[in-house]
Amino acid sequence: LDRELLAQYADGLLVLSGCLKGEIGQCLLGGHPEEAEKSAEFYRDLLGKENFYLEIQDNGLESQKKLLPLFRELSKKTGIPLVATSDIHYLHRDDAKAHDVLLCIGTQKILDDPNRLRFSTSEFYFRSGEEMAAVFSDFPEAIENTLAIAHRCNLEFKFGEYHLPKFVPPAGMTPKAYLRKLCHDGLPRRYPVLTDAVKQRLEHELGVIEKAGFVSYFLIAWDFIHFAKTHGVPVGPGRGSGAGS
C-alpha cells in the first residue's frame, strides 16, 4: 500500500505504524531517527493526530525490546500516541511446536535444518488482557490505547453472504446458461471422443458449481484468464482460490 493510495482512502481510517519490519521501525533499528520522525509526522499529518499510532510489540525478540525506548522517545517528540499490540501466529502458547512444524511444511524444510525459517520464541500466541498488561507494565498508556482504538472501531460485517463482482453474460443469456455453453464448447477440445462418462462428469461438476452458487465466480475467473491468453499476457492455469494455488 503506497502513500498515494493511503491518502486517497485516509478518511475514517485508524492506522498503526506496524511491526518491527514496518517503515518507522526499520528506520529506528537502522540508526536513522530523523527519517523515522519524518515518516511518523507524514502519517500523523495525513491521517490526523488522533488517527495514527506508533505500534509497540514484545514477543520476546531483542529487536522488539530495542525499539521500545526508541518508540517512546519518538512519541514524546512527535506527540503521536503509543499503542501495544501482539504479533499473533497461533492461538495458544503450546501451539508453538505445531506452528514450527507448519513452517517446515510451508518452506519444504526439515526440523533439524539449522538454516531454516524459525520463530525464536513461543510468545506468538493470543495473549489475554492481563498478560498484555503485565508485558507492557511500563507502558500503561499504550495498553489504554489498545482499548480506545477498539471502542472507536465500528465495523459491521454480515456473514453468510457472497460479495462477488457481477459478471454480465452476452445479451439474452443467464450466467448459468453461459457457463454451460462455455463448458460444452470446450469439451470437444479436451475430449475428442465424448463418452457417456465424460458427459456425466461434466454434468456432475456443473451441478456442484450451480448448487454452491459459484457460477459467477467461475465466469469471472474464466474472463480474466481468457483475456490474458488472447492478449499475450503470461498466465497460469487459473485453478483454485487457496493459498499457493
Side-chain angles (χ1 to χ4, degrees):
L1 183 67
D2 58 36
R3 289 183 171 188
E4 290 75 20
L5 191 60
L6 180 61
Q8 186 178 347
Y9 296 100
D11 187 38
L13 294 182
L14 297 175
V15 176
L16 281 58
S17 63
C19 67
L20 63 88
K21 292 292 185 179
E23 178 182 336
I24 298 172
Q26 285 296 289
C27 286
L28 291 173
L29 287 174
H32 306 290
E34 298 85 3
E35 289 184 28
E37 185 176 348
K38 186 177 179 181
S39 293
E41 289 175 340
F42 168 82
Y43 292 111
R44 178 198 63 194
D45 297 341
L46 173 65
L47 297 151
K49 63 180 181 180
E50 295 180 351
N51 300 325
F52 181 63
Y53 294 79
L54 296 174
E55 186 173 355
I56 57 173
Q57 298 180 338
D58 188 352
N59 296 89
L61 302 180
E62 285 304 315
S63 50
Q64 289 175 326
K65 295 181 184 298
K66 182 180 178 181
L67 277 174
L68 293 176
L70 300 178
F71 267 121
R72 170 170 274 169
E73 182 64 26
L74 183 59
S75 176
K76 290 178 180 178
K77 275 189 174 183
T78 60
I80 302 171
L82 297 171
V83 60
T85 72
S86 186
D87 192 359
I88 302 167
H89 288 258
Y90 38 88
L91 191 57
H92 306 291
R93 186 197 293 269
D94 56 9
D95 291 333
K97 186 174 182 180
H99 178 259
D100 196 38
V101 172
L102 192 62
L103 279 178
C104 287
I105 294 172
T107 55
Q108 298 184 3
K109 301 291 183 180
I110 61 172
L111 286 165
D112 293 336
D113 188 336
N115 300 316
R116 68 175 175 84
L117 174 67
R118 68 179 73 229
F119 283 40
S120 58
T121 78
S122 59
E123 298 295 316
F124 292 87
Y125 67 97
F126 187 77
R127 289 170 170 154
S128 67
E130 291 77 12
E131 288 174 309
M132 287 293 288
V135 170
F136 293 101
S137 57
D138 292 337
F139 297 85
E141 74 282 9
I143 289 292
E144 292 171 5
N145 283 333
T146 307
L147 295 176
I149 290 173
H151 289 147
R152 291 178 62 195
C153 289
N154 179 28
L155 175 66
E156 294 182 1
F157 193 92
K158 292 182 180 178
F159 291 91
E161 295 182 1
Y162 295 124
H163 298 273
L164 296 172
K166 185 177 180 180
F167 182 87
V168 181
M173 298 193 74
T174 64
K176 179 178 174 180
Y178 190 50
L179 177 62
R180 282 185 166 272
K181 181 182 185 304
L182 290 173
C183 290
H184 284 289
D185 288 349
L187 199 61
R189 295 198 302 270
R190 292 166 174 78
Y191 298 93
V193 179
L194 294 179
T195 64
D196 288 340
V198 170
K199 295 175 183 178
Q200 290 170 7
R201 177 59 183 267
L202 176 60
E203 285 302 314
H204 173 74
E205 296 285 355
L206 286 170
V208 171
I209 293 168
E210 292 166 1
K211 185 177 180 181
F214 283 157
V215 170
S216 290
Y217 171 89
F218 275 81
L219 286 171
I220 291 162
W222 167 83
D223 192 28
F224 61 71
I225 293 168
H226 176 72
F227 178 89
K229 287 183 175 180
T230 55
H231 287 75
V233 180
V235 63
R239 67 180 188 274
S241 57
S245 67

